[in-house]
Amino acid sequence: MASRQLATELEARDVAEAARESEWAGSSFVRELFLGRLALDLIDPYPAADPAEEQRAAPFMAKLEEFLRRVDSDMIDRTGDIPEEYVQELRDMGAFGIKIPKEYGGLGLSYTSYVKAMALVTSKDGSLTALLSAHQSIGLPQPLKLFGTDEQKQRFFPRLAKGAISAFALTEVDAGSDPANLHATATPSEDGKHFVLNGEKLWCTNGTRAELFVVMARTPDVVVKGKTRKQITAFIVEANAPGVEIVHRCRFMGLKAIENGVIRFTNVKVPRENILWGEGKGLKLALITLNTGRLTLPASAAGGAKALLQASRWWAADRVQWGAAIGKHEAVARKLGLMAANTYAMEAISGLTVGLAEREGYDIRLEAAVAKMYNTEHGWRIVDDALQIRGGRGYETADSLRARGEAPIPIERAMRDSRINLIFEGSSEIMRLFIAREAVDHHFSTAFPLVDKHSTGAQKWQAFLSSAKFYPVWYATRWVGRGQVPGAFSEFGKLAGHLRYVERHARKLARNLFHAMVRYGPMLERKQMVLFRAVDIGAELFAMSAACVRAKADARAGHPNAVALADVFCREARIRIDELFDTLFGPNDDSIYRLSQQVLRGEHSWIENGIIGLHEEGAVEKLEAAAERETVGA
Ligand SMILES: Cc1cc2nc3c(=O)[nH]c(=O)nc-3n(C[C@H](O)[C@H](O)[C@H](O)COP(=O)(O)OP(=O)(O)OC[C@H]3O[C@@H](n4cnc5c(N)ncnc54)[C@H](O)[C@@H]3O)c2cc1C
């Protein structure tokens, strides 16, 4: 097989950095948190429900709920297909155009209403969520709303609102987490009126049912300041255009009916007017689309968690073993209590982030990334606990339970369906890298040129001046704050102590990040184990803040026992945070990394004796070729 041209690490970083949103469009609570400031005024009061919007959304939500109660999700899971009648019903109620403005035939509802709808759908059926969300969170409606011209909006929104399904095609065989390796090309025609698209996209959700694609492809490189720069452009592509072909429908562990496939484009003529935003802006468009589209998964994970909590609660109360309901035994009780507290915090994070997204002057890219990472990971733990609480019945399929006369509660399906949440729309690792990069952005732009071997003398001097101006005051003030004042944040009642903790530990986090920069210099970027722990601390502090501001609002709105949920959540989060601080600089990190590299080189392969291997044929040759590439590259 011809060897594929893979981008080097430096190229990958250059492309990602060029596509990054370098400007902050507004304030960010999480960004401030990483700088050691608890900017509570940015998130308190917790976003309140808008009664007018709720009234507008009510008829649609009622139809959606009534539909979902009738949907046979076990059949969808069993057959791996969503019947066309279901899709048509969803079209008829406007479910494909929830956020599309009314003037284009959509429902014109808010982001908040949209994610509420997605949470409702997930509580019943993950495959349906994938269909609706791939279309509206990352499919054409989202980039069209953000970057489309008026003409493009007129042309496509009405079709999309009526249910012309769309798909987002970024991933390729060599371009998963790393978009620099994208190989699809779009070559301009001689008269410049169209582009000729060639390439193959992998795992394109809705791809097997879509009428419209957003396709990211490479257009001719440009030279910027003497450096060749890869160009990636986003195109709207009609699925029925000659040369568009569904090569394969992918099947997965869960989301059995997801319409996901490999899509091949062979000499597909795409008119120039189908470029979204502009030539060379495709990767940035894809990243911004994902940054905002990412709000669906946190809400959806929270919706799923609520359904699991309910099923676990009922079972833990009903199932009697060893003379008592299993929910009375401490081991199960602990799971149930934490499930409720975590579900509460997950919904707080999701509701807060979406609420902020709808406020003017707020940049939610960090909050959205934390929400995606945190809620999908907690959601996964919740499904695991729910399965454990249901015992053998948790592991049994709904069909099998029904066949022998028991309630067909589909925990097994929920587990299969939810695992992918930690991988797509930015894996947990990529979210942590992204959060770490954005969280240290201020330090990066202030001080990085001082230690960057590529910066010029003038850049170093400038960085020295900015650092001398910023750091002495900033660092000194990271040692004192409101969290040290007894009785501070008393407006939060019983939760005040948790907010004092958040304030103190935000400063501690900022100081430690600064120490890490001094300790590792430019190498910090490679210290993922340290950075990821710092990110996890920041995420926990955000989660605690979200839970506390929500509980304050809920208590005022007639749910005083919300304080108990937030309190238990915060107590447990504090234990996790303390442990993360204790191990921040990972005493075992070097040993673990060294061992992993020995494992990669096969030095411990002797421990794999006595098994039937899972590897594919030719794997050994592939590994040898990779080792050779590394030697040549070194
Ligand atoms: C069901 C499903 C639906 C999907 N839908 C779509 C879609 O609609 N459109 C679309 O374009 N794509 C879609 N994808 C692709 C999805 O977004 C990718 O799977 C995801 O981006 C990860 O890429 P990958 O699977 O190739 O993993 P890889 O990039 O190969 O990564 C493998 C592992 O290494 C980790 N890793 C990678 N790089 C780093 C690093 N620098 N540091 C630390 N860890 C790292 C990853 O987190 C992961 O754990 C879908 C995938 C699936 C399975």
Side-chain angles (χ1 to χ4, degrees):
M1 192 176 82
S3 83
R4 295 183 300 253
Q5 272 274 286
L6 299 184
T8 64
E9 199 176 340
L10 200 65
E11 273 175 332
R13 233 175 317 129
D14 268 1
V15 175
E17 207 44 47
R20 206 187 134 248
E21 285 175 83
S22 49
E23 300 300 321
W24 285 84
S27 352
S28 160
F29 175 81
V30 172
R31 185 170 186 247
E32 294 296 323
L33 210 52
F34 278 99
L35 281 168
R37 303 183 193 123
L38 177 61
L40 212 50
D41 54 322
L42 291 177
I43 60 166
D44 184 36
Y46 188 79
D50 171 0
E53 170 66 16
E54 283 186 333
Q55 212 179 351
R56 265 196 304 277
F60 165 69
M61 293 299 273
K63 271 188 227 159
L64 183 64
E65 187 175 335
E66 188 276 324
F67 163 77
L68 289 168
R69 289 193 188 281
R70 278 188 284 113
V71 160
D72 185 349
S73 292
D74 294 326
M75 176 272 289
I76 291 180
D77 185 58
R78 191 184 323 118
T79 59
D81 277 310
I82 302 170
E84 180 56 29
E85 308 87 81
Y86 282 170
V87 180
Q88 194 51 47
E89 258 197 81
L90 287 166
R91 284 195 184 103
D92 294 344
M93 71 176 85
F96 286 92
I98 302 174
K99 288 180 287 140
I100 295 178
K102 273 192 152 167
E103 62 197 279
Y104 300 109
L107 297 181
L109 296 176
S110 69
Y111 217 125
T112 302
S113 297
Y114 167 65
V115 300
K116 270 189 190 162
M118 289 304 107
L120 187 70
V121 178
T122 304
S123 68
K124 179 71 194 277
D125 194 305
S127 291
L128 287 178
T129 307
L131 172 74
L132 294 170
S133 160
H135 170 72
Q136 291 170 96
S137 301
I138 55 175
L140 187 51
Q142 184 66 2
L144 190 62
K145 193 169 184 175
L146 295 173
F147 307 106
T149 62
D150 281 346
E151 184 276 324
Q152 287 172 333
K153 288 178 183 168
Q154 297 285 358
R155 203 150 39 106
F156 294 109
F157 266 151
R159 279 174 67 188
L160 294 161
K162 278 196 208 117
I165 296 171
S166 70
F168 176 84
L170 177 65
T171 302
E172 298 178 9
V173 168
D174 286 327
S177 307
D178 171 14
N181 274 332
L182 197 150
H183 281 100
T185 55
T187 314
S189 61
E190 270 182 19
D191 61 5
K193 288 193 176 144
H194 62 263
F195 284 73
V196 179
L197 178 64
N198 279 290
E200 204 166 274
K201 293 291 178 178
L202 177 63
W203 294 328
C204 182
T205 302
N206 285 356
T208 47
R209 205 163 192 154
E211 266 183 51
L212 291 159
F213 291 94
V214 180
V215 182
M216 269 50 71
R218 283 188 63 179
T219 41
D221 293 347
V222 294
V223 178
V224 181
K225 294 183 190 158
K227 254 176 107 176
T228 304
R229 176 152 286 166
K230 268 188 187 176
Q231 295 288 286
I232 294 171
T233 303
F235 295 89
I236 304 171
V237 179
E238 299 276 353
N240 64 3
V244 179
E245 192 187 343
I246 300 163
V247 181
H248 173 73
R249 176 157 178 196
C250 305
R251 296 291 185 175
F252 301 96
M253 162 190 189
L255 300 182
K256 290 290 185 189
I258 190 174
E259 293 276 354
N260 181 294
V262 177
I263 314 296
R264 186 177 297 152
F265 301 92
T266 313
N267 295 326
V268 179
K269 268 173 86 169
V270 188
R272 176 175 282 278
E273 51 275 19
N274 279 18
I275 290 181
L276 270 168
W277 201 11
E279 257 183 275
K281 292 188 165 175
L283 189 57
K284 197 163 186 166
L285 172 140
L287 298 183
I288 295 175
T289 302
L290 285 166
N291 284 349
T292 45
R294 224 165 249 143
L295 295 181
T296 315
L297 270 175
S300 170
K306 285 175 20 170
L308 292 162
L309 171 64
Q310 189 186 57
S312 305
R313 174 166 67 85
W314 286 347
W315 183 246
D318 190 46
R319 174 73 170 167
V320 175
Q321 290 288 279
W322 300 84
I326 56 167
K328 298 270 183 196
H329 300 304
E330 271 208 4
V332 176
R334 177 182 156 78
K335 286 186 183 60
L336 199 62
L338 293 183
M339 203 185 274
N342 291 340
T343 300
Y344 182 77
M346 283 165 68
E347 202 176 40
I349 292 173
S350 158
L352 175 62
T353 310
V354 176
L356 295 175
E358 292 195 317
R359 272 185 205 164
E360 286 289 307
Y362 208 94
D363 191 325
I364 51 106
R365 78 185 97 145
L366 264 171
E367 282 74 3
V370 172
K372 194 275 175 184
M373 174 191 94
Y374 199 88
N375 279 13
T376 56
E377 292 186 353
H378 275 262
W380 175 243
R381 273 174 224 133
I382 286 175
V383 78
D384 190 36
D385 279 349
L387 195 145
Q388 193 69 17
I389 290 176
R390 284 275 292 161
R393 288 164 181 82
Y395 193 66
E396 189 171 3
T397 66
D399 279 344
S400 173
L401 286 162
R402 186 185 295 106
R404 59 181 191 80
E406 287 214 34
I409 299 169
I411 308 284
E412 169 268 345
R413 167 160 61 84
M415 176 169 253
R416 286 188 282 108
D417 283 356
S418 59
R419 184 59 182 82
I420 188 60
N421 292 346
L422 286 74
I423 296 171
F424 60 13
E425 292 186 25
S427 69
S428 284
E429 290 78 15
I430 296 305
M431 287 301 89
R432 285 188 171 80
L433 277 180
F434 173 84
I435 295 162
R437 169 66 187 89
E438 298 300 331
V440 298
D441 185 47
H442 186 90
H443 299 301
F444 200 82
S445 47
T446 312
F448 186 72
L450 273 176
V451 288
D452 182 9
K453 61 180 185 227
H454 300 294
S455 37
T456 62
Q459 285 166 328
K460 280 189 197 298
W461 178 240
Q462 186 51 48
F464 173 75
L465 290 180
S466 334
S467 300
K469 202 167 134 199
F470 174 73
Y471 283 108
V473 176
W474 176 80
Y475 187 73
T477 51
R478 290 321 89 195
W479 291 90
V480 280
R482 214 176 144 201
Q484 288 153 315
V485 180
F489 302 103
S490 57
E491 66 276 24
F492 284 86
K494 198 180 166 197
L495 301 174
H498 295 312
L499 283 160
R500 290 198 292 275
Y501 176 95
V502 173
E503 197 281 336
R504 291 194 308 275
H505 289 78
R507 282 186 285 108
K508 184 173 175 180
L509 175 62
R511 292 196 306 267
N512 274 285
L513 271 172
F514 180 72
H515 299 161
M517 281 190 346
V518 173
R519 182 165 168 176
Y520 300 114
M523 287 304 290
L524 178 59
E525 205 187 344
R526 294 185 168 277
K527 290 278 172 196
Q528 289 189 351
M529 294 189 228
V530 176
L531 281 176
F532 284 17
R533 283 183 210 106
V535 165
D536 286 346
I537 293 172
E540 293 286 4
L541 293 173
F542 176 50
M544 285 177 71
S545 311
C548 289
V549 292
R550 179 183 171 192
K552 184 173 146 218
D554 281 347
R556 285 189 182 160
H559 294 292
N561 62 7
V563 172
L565 290 162
D567 180 49
V568 166
F569 174 77
C570 289
R571 283 168 187 273
E572 286 289 306
R574 285 167 70 156
I575 294 173
R576 293 192 291 271
I577 293 170
D578 290 346
E579 195 182 320
L580 284 163
F581 271 122
D582 284 348
T583 53
L584 186 61
F585 291 101
N588 300 327
D589 288 359
D590 289 344
S591 310
I592 295 170
Y593 191 78
R594 217 175 303 119
L595 179 63
S596 74
Q597 301 312 294
Q598 291 163 3
V599 171
L600 275 183
R601 289 193 297 269
E603 288 169 28
H604 298 281
S605 57
W606 58 272
I607 60 169
E608 297 158 10
N609 287 343
I611 54 156
I612 309 291
L614 301 173
H615 61 76
E616 59 191 307
E617 241 176 75
V620 175
E621 290 77 9
K622 230 173 153 180
L623 278 178
E624 281 168 3
E628 202 176 312
R629 263 206 313 271
E630 206 166 88
T631 323
V632 173

